Amino acid sequence: MTNIDARMVFENSKAALVKAFGTDQILRVVKLTQGSLRFEQALVAGQTLYTFPVLDNQTQFSNLEDRLKLQDSFIISSIKVCTGAPANATDNTFVPDTYANPIKYGANAVPLQAWWNAGNLQIAVNNDIITPKWDIARHYNASQTQQTGALGAGSPMDQDRGAFDGWYPVEPNIVMIGQKDTQIQVILKGAGLASVQANSRGIIMVRGVLAQNSTVVS
């Protein structure tokens, strides 16, 4: 993303806020900064519906989640849907995957492909479905350089460009408001994942503009 891209995201975010709140006075009271959020849920064999809680006052699944505060809003400009295979429940060293890495997922790699091939992302605000047909296949990215064994001198890590790989732009922007009921779900067509790797999880990350103190918490 260039400075020009970032400026366009910023201007679009201001317009989206005005539309969401119904007045340009909102721009006088909020603090707008670039930001990111992260939501995670455990992958479960056979499960076809995954709900990712958005707010920080809901039960946290992992120590790596960054959720939305009740008093804030977030304007989404890009989304990444991926998976992760941490060594344990609190591992903070694993890198999210945009394809079914056979070294990490072993015999579960082939079943995991259904996450991208059969998955749809659905975002709803106050029961209004904003993204009814967002295929997760657009987030699939099999790295050019791939891990071939245990990490070390004999095996590289997967190539991963943090600013690009797996990310997809969102136009028109989606506004998540802390005081509104925002639901993010992944729906798998078919029977779900046949098997899953221990501790593996689905991950949704969003980038955009954070509007701090844009709502009143009562």
Side-chain angles (χ1 to χ4, degrees):
M1 175 181 286
T2 66
N3 281 11
I4 294 174
D5 296 327
R7 171 54 62 177
M8 185 174 294
V9 168
F10 178 66
E11 295 298 333
N12 286 348
S13 296
K14 290 195 295 183
L17 269 180
V18 171
K19 181 178 180 181
F21 284 90
T23 174
D24 60 3
Q25 295 301 307
I26 188 66
L27 301 179
R28 297 177 180 271
V29 298
V30 300
K31 179 180 179 181
L32 300 177
T33 60
Q34 289 192 36
S36 59
L37 301 174
R38 176 168 171 157
F39 316 108
E40 299 187 357
Q41 284 295 298
L43 295 178
V44 179
Q47 184 169 312
T48 58
L49 176 63
Y50 295 85
T51 299
F52 294 77
V54 169
L55 298 176
D56 69 348
N57 66 345
Q58 297 171 289
T59 302
Q60 295 278 126
F61 166 72
S62 88
N63 56 319
L64 293 178
E65 289 190 275
D66 288 307
R67 302 232 191 124
L68 183 66
K69 294 181 179 179
L70 274 171
Q71 66 267 29
D72 295 342
S73 302
F74 195 92
I75 303 92
I76 301 174
S77 63
S78 60
I79 297 176
K80 180 174 182 173
V81 183
C82 49
T83 62
N88 53 60
T90 58
D91 180 13
N92 66 355
T93 64
F94 73 97
V95 177
D97 299 302
T98 56
Y99 79 107
N101 179 323
I103 304 301
K104 291 184 182 180
Y105 296 95
N108 301 300
V110 172
L112 183 61
Q113 291 176 168
W115 180 258
W116 291 276
N117 190 54
N120 277 316
L121 175 70
Q122 185 170 284
I123 300 177
V125 179
N126 286 350
N127 295 319
D128 179 19
I129 299 175
I130 308 300
T131 60
K133 296 292 183 182
W134 184 286
D135 63 282
I136 297 179
R138 70 185 72 190
H139 300 282
Y140 182 86
N141 180 69
S143 307
Q144 284 186 314
T145 300
Q146 297 185 4
Q147 181 180 355
T148 56
L151 293 179
S155 172
M157 295 182 68
D158 283 338
Q159 174 182 315
D160 185 8
R161 302 173 301 165
F164 301 99
D165 293 341
W167 289 95
Y168 201 88
V170 178
E171 286 291 345
N173 296 152
I174 297 171
V175 181
M176 297 192 300
I177 299 174
Q179 286 292 306
K180 291 189 176 182
D181 178 22
T182 301
Q183 276 203 342
I184 299 180
Q185 296 179 318
V186 168
I187 302 168
L188 300 183
K189 293 171 283 188
L193 307 180
S195 62
V196 297
Q197 185 78 357
N199 298 310
S200 61
R201 58 193 62 176
I203 303 170
I204 296 174
M205 293 183 279
V206 299
R207 289 175 177 164
V209 172
L210 176 65
Q212 299 179 59
N213 301 314
S214 55
T215 67
V216 177
V217 178
S218 57

